[in-house]
Amino acid sequence: MAALTADIFDARDRARGVQSPWTVANGQVIYANSLVGVNSAGFLVPWANTAGHRFVGRAIEGCTGNTSVTPAVTCIVSEFDELPSALVASGVQASVGALISCATDNPADCQLGATANVKAVGVATRFRAAGVLDVRLFNLIEYHGLN
């Protein structure tokens, strides 16, 4: 799969977590229902397998960062969220409890195990079918503490 190029709208994917505004990095495009993190400067960016990024949650809305305006553009992010029926390559019943990582902002890129530059973004909580798991996403504090 690849990084998102448009908002994702799915009736199953209603925000389940705590919703908070985060200031978006200048020029960064965040798509609705994409995975997001903060960069080393503390601004919200699309999630990527980039050293220094810290996972925050799932964007509830789409937005484009503009730090030249006052106030700067913010995006509402759902923390403590879950991805129901996430496609996870090689996901089986024994995967429940396993750490899940993602190399892009696209939830369909979830995988078991780690990526090269960033930590796991969540944990598998339910097996639904081969390659389909519910994933409980970490928030920023859990990302730091549980990995």
Side-chain angles (χ1 to χ4, degrees):
M1 296 241 108
L4 293 176
T5 57
D7 294 336
I8 300 173
F9 293 105
D10 186 332
R12 298 175 308 181
D13 291 340
R14 299 280 183 240
R16 292 167 178 78
V18 175
Q19 297 179 23
S20 349
W22 291 76
T23 302
V24 181
N26 198 45
Q28 292 293 309
V29 177
I30 307 265
Y31 295 105
N33 284 314
S34 66
L35 301 178
V36 292
V38 290
N39 62 17
S40 58
F43 290 101
L44 194 69
V45 293
W47 186 243
N49 188 18
T50 302
H53 281 193
R54 298 173 305 271
F55 186 73
V56 174
R58 185 164 55 116
I60 300 305
E61 59 190 357
C63 52
T64 300
N66 185 349
T67 55
S68 300
V69 298
T70 303
V73 174
T74 60
C75 183
I76 302 298
V77 175
S78 180
E79 304 171 54
F80 300 104
D81 206 351
E82 80 172 309
L83 299 173
S85 300
L87 300 175
V88 179
S90 305
V92 296
Q93 179 66 47
S95 302
V96 172
L99 293 175
I100 304 294
S101 62
C102 197
T104 73
D105 64 338
N106 188 345
D109 288 341
C110 286
Q111 63 186 26
L112 292 168
T115 55
N117 296 309
V118 293
K119 302 173 184 176
V121 298
V123 63
T125 57
R126 180 178 177 195
F127 172 74
R128 291 189 179 261
V132 182
L133 304 169
D134 286 355
V135 175
R136 215 284 266 147
L137 296 173
F138 295 148
N139 67 5
L140 182 59
I141 295 167
E142 292 171 322
Y143 178 78
H144 280 291
L146 296 178
N147 279 282

